[in-house]
Amino acid sequence: MEPDTRLEFSASTPTPQNYFRSIVLFGRNVASYKFALAKSLIEIAGQGRDSVTMEELAVPFSRNPCEHLQRAPKQATSPASRFLDSCRRYNAGEIPEDELIGTAVRLGFNNVIDAFHVVGRGEVGMRFFEDERRSPTPRLVLTDELLALGPEVRADAVKETEARWRLVETAWELSVNSSLIDYDPDTQTLVPTSRRRSVTKARDALNGYQKGRCFYCFGPIGLEEHSPIPAEVDHFIPHVFQRR
């Protein structure tokens, strides 16, 4: 059996940041729940907490898709989702927040918790939480690897997750592969080839694939303007070469 290159992405440079990146970049995408959970975990870890109940986690977990639904109505490949329907109803003012949170606890975590660490044919080599939903107080226990991510790493992780989310939801909306994206040098953003609408910042979307390292000298680069070496987009390969 040939090695899974998606798992090798993090295994070749096994840092917590790169394992987290591999989940965001290469984990299975059938709904936006993975991205919502990733951003929620980073938020909770930033508060210095080592565990979170499902009710507490449901607050940021449901907030994230609610925000994205206002921008991109398609947040899953399946035609129906009761949790996403609740998010739409909340955005429309039809249900209160406590009902949205209750729906998230009952329905939102059904598959994403079990599938979060899966990339390709198996799990990544590092876990960022332990599942204790069957304990007397259903919760997730955050691992030291997640809690060890510093403020700058967490900030980059949020930006990279958000950028990947926007690329995926745009591909779903346009029914195209997420690779069919152009770079607009004037705005430094990625845009669909068929519609010149900004999708996300090019830096945020590409930095994770390079593991936060310069393509030429392999030195560390950052996403903030004040970073010692801020990331810059050099060029994209012309479409004429893609056909070859």
Side-chain angles (χ1 to χ4, degrees):
M1 181 179 294
E2 295 183 359
D4 192 326
T5 56
R6 292 166 294 186
L7 289 174
E8 289 183 339
F9 173 87
S10 53
S12 61
T13 47
T15 66
Q17 186 177 17
N18 285 336
Y19 277 117
F20 200 89
R21 279 174 170 146
S22 67
I23 292 170
V24 170
L25 295 174
F26 305 117
R28 189 181 180 194
N29 296 318
V30 295
S32 58
Y33 300 172
K34 175 187 71 177
F35 305 118
L37 179 57
K39 293 185 66 176
S40 300
L41 290 171
I42 296 170
E43 181 177 332
I44 299 298
Q47 298 170 3
R49 303 179 54 185
D50 60 5
S51 67
V52 58
T53 67
M54 305 317 294
E55 288 77 10
E56 293 169 333
L57 183 62
V59 176
F61 180 80
S62 56
R63 180 202 322 130
N64 286 309
C66 282
E67 293 174 352
H68 272 257
L69 281 167
Q70 296 178 22
R71 179 184 183 276
K74 190 168 185 179
Q75 291 295 320
T77 56
S78 59
S81 165
R82 286 186 290 170
F83 170 59
L84 290 177
D85 286 343
S86 292
C87 292
R88 295 184 182 95
R89 294 182 62 198
Y90 174 77
N91 284 346
E94 297 175 359
I95 61 173
E97 184 179 18
D98 60 349
E99 184 174 339
L100 172 66
I101 300 304
T103 303
V105 173
R106 288 186 291 106
L107 303 174
F109 301 123
N110 286 349
N111 299 310
V112 68
I113 298 294
D114 293 332
F116 185 77
H117 293 97
V118 176
V119 173
R121 294 188 292 266
E123 284 199 1
V124 296
M126 184 177 293
R127 292 189 65 86
F128 295 100
F129 61 81
E130 297 299 335
D131 183 3
E132 293 192 0
R133 285 178 291 171
R134 295 186 179 181
S135 65
T137 302
R139 63 177 184 162
L140 299 185
V141 176
L142 308 188
T143 63
D144 291 341
E145 288 77 9
L146 179 62
L147 296 173
L149 299 179
E152 187 172 343
V153 172
R154 289 197 302 269
D156 282 357
V158 168
K159 290 183 177 181
E160 292 174 14
T161 302
E162 179 68 16
R164 180 61 181 166
W165 191 344
R166 292 196 176 192
L167 284 172
V168 170
E169 69 187 9
T170 300
W172 286 339
E173 178 186 355
L174 301 179
S175 298
V176 299
N177 189 289
S178 58
S179 64
L180 298 179
I181 299 290
D182 278 339
Y183 174 59
D184 186 338
D186 295 329
T187 62
Q188 297 187 22
T189 60
L190 300 181
V191 296
T193 55
S194 57
R195 305 180 187 179
R196 304 301 289 184
R197 173 170 63 82
S198 176
V199 176
T200 186
K201 292 183 178 180
R203 290 181 179 181
D204 300 354
L206 300 174
N207 194 57
Y209 289 102
Q210 292 189 188
K211 303 178 182 178
R213 297 280 176 172
C214 172
F215 179 82
Y216 299 103
C217 71
F218 205 63
I221 54 180
L223 294 176
E224 300 290 346
E225 295 291 342
H226 60 265
S227 298
I229 305 179
E232 292 187 13
V233 177
D234 187 348
H235 64 274
F236 270 31
I237 297 175
H239 282 283
V240 65
F241 293 140
Q242 293 184 12
R243 291 195 296 270
R244 301 178 185 177

